Amino acid sequence: MSKSSVKLWVLNGMEASMTPKLIIHGGAGALENTSERADTIRAALKDILVETYEFLKQTDAMQAVLHGVRLLEDEPMFNAGKGSRYQADGTIRMSAALMDGTARRFSGVINIQAVQHPIDVAALLLKEEHRVLAGAQATEYARAKGFEAFDPGTPYRLQEHQNSVKGKTGTVGVVALDSKGAIVAGTSTGGVGGEIPGRVSDSATVAGNYATTQVGISSTGIGEEIVDYALAAGIAARMEDGMSLNAAGTKSLAAAKAAGCSFGFIALDESGAILADKTTESIFYAWHDGQTQETF
Ligand code: GLY
């Protein structure tokens, strides 16, 4: 699926305005086609898409991505923020990343604990000289900046952990293109569940979340495999070498599909083209191009 119905007006040769575009995801994995849970996930995604798109129209790509990721982090059915999975030692550690494509600036937190919105800590770090923090120091940084302690656990995730059950939905992400043509990508995750304590996922790396002036990408799926294929940064690099979003996305998934990897991505480019693709059975995502919206 590709959308390129961009409206571009140049006023007196000075000002350009385009229709904002938005794509969000709630994780890739096995699709529970017949389950009520899949329908509930799609309904939540749709509500968050609509609210975030309205916000995008009134603000900009950065504010909208933060707003959208916060809403996804607040929704316990997604594995990010409230509702994050437990690592093997029974502790929830979360990761999030933000990238401003115009500034070509990346920030992130890895294995942060007990904050409501990991993406907001990443947003603060975007202004710092040192922009990626991990582990206890990420949590200490958040506390020093006034982030109150927050329990992201839920009875559902605790039961999953106690039963060694892995869930089927994951990471969340938002990519926005605003009326001035700025692109921002944000990604947040509670990991895969049951991982070795301290495992680093792809989400707060350039494989999991990347943006340039041309494109923004948020990845989802098995982090180790996403890193192996340098997914998000790889798509952006292929586009810098002249490929279209569609060609770059297809090329970036081809070898991973053949190798049996489990991941996917959402992306938007500077022309307003929207793309989501996957090697997995499913990816929960939704997009809004100003006229049409779809949820999958
Ligand atoms: N993609 C999220 C993770 O592997 O933790």
Side-chain angles (χ1 to χ4, degrees):
M1 166 273 303
S2 178
K3 282 268 160 190
S4 54
S5 55
V6 179
K7 290 186 181 129
L8 178 68
W9 297 277
V10 178
L11 306 173
N12 304 323
M14 297 293 291
E15 195 180 328
S17 179
M18 50 198 309
T19 304
K21 315 276 172 171
L22 180 70
I23 185 163
I24 69 176
H25 73 78
L31 181 61
E32 298 152 279
N33 262 325
T34 55
S35 79
E36 279 175 25
R37 188 164 162 78
D39 290 342
T40 311
I41 288 168
R42 288 197 191 93
L45 267 186
K46 187 174 177 182
D47 287 349
I48 290 171
L49 176 82
V50 170
E51 179 173 340
T52 306
Y53 190 78
E54 286 306 308
F55 198 77
L56 173 61
K57 285 197 294 186
Q58 290 153 26
T59 59
D60 59 21
M62 177 59 72
Q63 294 310 313
V65 166
L66 292 175
H67 188 74
V69 175
R70 273 186 218 118
L71 292 174
L72 290 160
E73 287 175 339
D74 283 342
E75 174 48 70
M77 75 179 74
F78 297 116
N79 174 28
K82 187 77 180 170
S84 288
R85 295 207 175 97
Y86 290 80
Q87 297 192 341
D89 62 352
T91 298
I92 294 175
R93 298 180 183 85
M94 302 166 285
S95 298
L98 188 63
M99 189 152 180
D100 176 345
T102 307
R104 204 170 183 130
R105 212 170 156 88
F106 177 98
S107 66
V109 285
I110 296 171
N111 284 321
I112 195 167
Q113 289 183 47
V115 293
Q116 185 172 6
H117 296 124
I119 196 69
D120 282 340
V121 188
L124 268 188
L125 283 165
L126 200 58
K127 299 173 190 136
E128 300 274 12
E129 180 185 0
H130 304 131
R131 287 179 265 123
V132 182
L133 285 183
Q137 287 77 14
T139 309
E140 284 162 20
Y141 172 85
R143 295 283 177 265
K145 295 291 181 185
F147 285 78
E148 289 175 8
F150 176 85
D151 178 7
T154 62
Y156 181 83
R157 294 296 185 204
L158 187 59
Q159 200 170 27
E160 269 187 0
H161 172 66
Q162 285 165 346
N163 296 336
S164 301
V165 171
K166 300 215 173 188
K168 292 182 176 173
T169 58
T171 304
V172 302
V174 178
V175 184
L177 168 74
D178 67 24
S179 62
K180 295 197 169 109
I183 299 174
V184 174
T187 303
S188 185
T189 191
V192 291
E195 59 265 77
I196 297 172
R199 166 197 179 255
V200 174
S201 85
D202 63 292
S203 298
T205 74
V206 298
N209 191 78
Y210 204 72
T212 65
T213 54
Q214 282 185 301
V215 65
I217 307 116
S218 171
S219 309
T220 173
I222 297 183
E224 285 75 4
E225 296 178 353
I226 293 168
V227 169
D228 288 343
Y229 284 84
L231 184 62
I235 292 171
R238 286 189 160 117
M239 291 182 69
E240 282 185 329
D241 287 345
M243 279 191 184
S244 67
L245 173 57
N246 208 35
T250 303
K251 178 90 178 161
S252 297
L253 283 193
K257 268 186 184 158
C261 292
S262 296
F263 57 68
F265 67 87
I266 58 167
L268 271 179
D269 79 6
E270 61 186 333
S271 76
I274 296 170
L275 182 69
D277 205 353
K278 65 202 181 339
T279 66
T280 50
E281 191 185 334
S282 77
I283 172 171
F284 289 103
Y285 70 100
W287 55 264
H288 202 315
D289 69 3
Q291 290 177 325
T292 310
Q293 50 156 302
E294 296 242 28
T295 305
F296 297 87

